[in-house]
Amino acid sequence: MNIQKFTQKSMEAIQSAQSIAVRNHNNQIEQMHLMQALLTQENGLIPQLFTKMTIDPAQLQRRVEQMVSGYPTVGGSGAGNVYMSQGLNQVLVEAETQAKRMKDDYVSVEHLVLTMMDYPDRDMKELMKTFSISKKEFLNALGAIRGNALVTSENPEETYDVLTKYG
């Protein structure tokens, strides 16, 4: 995994996922922590995509927070020491492959979600099933927002859906 190939928003989401795990006294950063980070990103692309898919991002976020609050906690000297779960590590590694398949130079937030759809852990599978989230619909929403734009910079999310923002 080459962290230099991740967009600014992707790196922020990964850091935020770690903070969420620490705040919840979890010793492992899971895919659900990353999803929570992506759903709460300021001016984030992922809530826009779910809205376009007619999925309420606030409702999705509440469910993700419930799931995260159910994770095992660690206290004492082990608190604050977190490591990445195998499932999340696989997502971060495979996200680069996803970006290449889409002919993008950088791993953006949409690549992270698409990769979680391809390699979901148990909780992510449950979330996708509960909210009827399909990869096909996600890609359709992404196409509507992103158009034919490629991820060729560290801040591509700022160029998506420009007409809606400024038109």
Side-chain angles (χ1 to χ4, degrees):
M1 175 180 75
N2 180 0
I3 200 72
Q4 269 80 35
K5 286 291 182 181
F6 281 68
T7 64
Q8 190 173 344
K9 287 282 190 186
S10 292
M11 289 189 290
E12 286 172 11
I14 295 164
Q15 290 169 342
S16 180
Q18 180 180 0
S19 297
I20 292 166
V22 169
R23 211 173 32 250
N24 284 284
H25 304 286
N26 306 130
N27 68 341
Q28 212 168 228
I29 310 166
E30 300 284 353
Q31 290 181 12
M32 215 43 66
H33 292 109
L34 181 59
M35 181 60 81
Q36 184 176 348
L38 290 166
L39 288 168
T40 57
Q41 253 182 352
E42 190 175 328
N43 300 319
L45 174 64
I46 301 308
Q48 290 177 48
L49 290 170
F50 285 126
T51 299
K52 207 164 238 350
M53 294 168 62
T54 65
I55 296 170
D56 180 7
Q59 190 177 4
L60 185 62
Q61 182 182 334
R62 280 191 296 277
R63 180 64 187 131
V64 168
E65 287 171 1
Q66 284 175 341
M67 294 172 93
V68 166
S69 70
Y71 287 155
T73 58
V74 177
S77 63
N81 296 328
V82 295
Y83 61 94
M84 203 174 297
S85 71
Q86 186 175 352
L88 181 58
N89 188 55
Q90 182 178 25
V91 164
L92 297 180
V93 170
E94 295 295 333
E96 281 187 80
T97 305
Q98 180 71 43
K100 286 177 188 164
R101 265 197 304 266
M102 295 174 72
K103 297 180 178 34
D104 292 323
D105 296 336
Y106 290 86
V107 176
S108 187
V109 293
E110 65 267 27
H111 301 120
L112 296 173
V113 174
L114 284 166
T115 307
M116 282 191 275
M117 291 177 177
D118 287 340
Y119 301 95
D121 61 16
R122 187 187 77 237
D123 291 335
M124 190 58 65
K125 276 183 190 169
E126 180 188 323
L127 184 74
M128 300 287 174
K129 184 178 176 188
T130 301
F131 285 86
S132 302
I133 299 171
S134 79
K135 187 173 180 178
K136 182 180 179 193
E137 283 184 51
F138 187 84
L139 286 167
N140 288 340
L142 180 62
I145 289 177
R146 181 172 151 172
N148 294 330
L150 295 178
V151 179
T152 58
S153 73
E154 291 182 19
N155 292 308
E157 296 86 358
E158 293 174 7
T159 63
Y160 297 161
D161 214 12
V162 174
L163 285 175
T164 304
K165 285 182 188 172
Y166 304 109

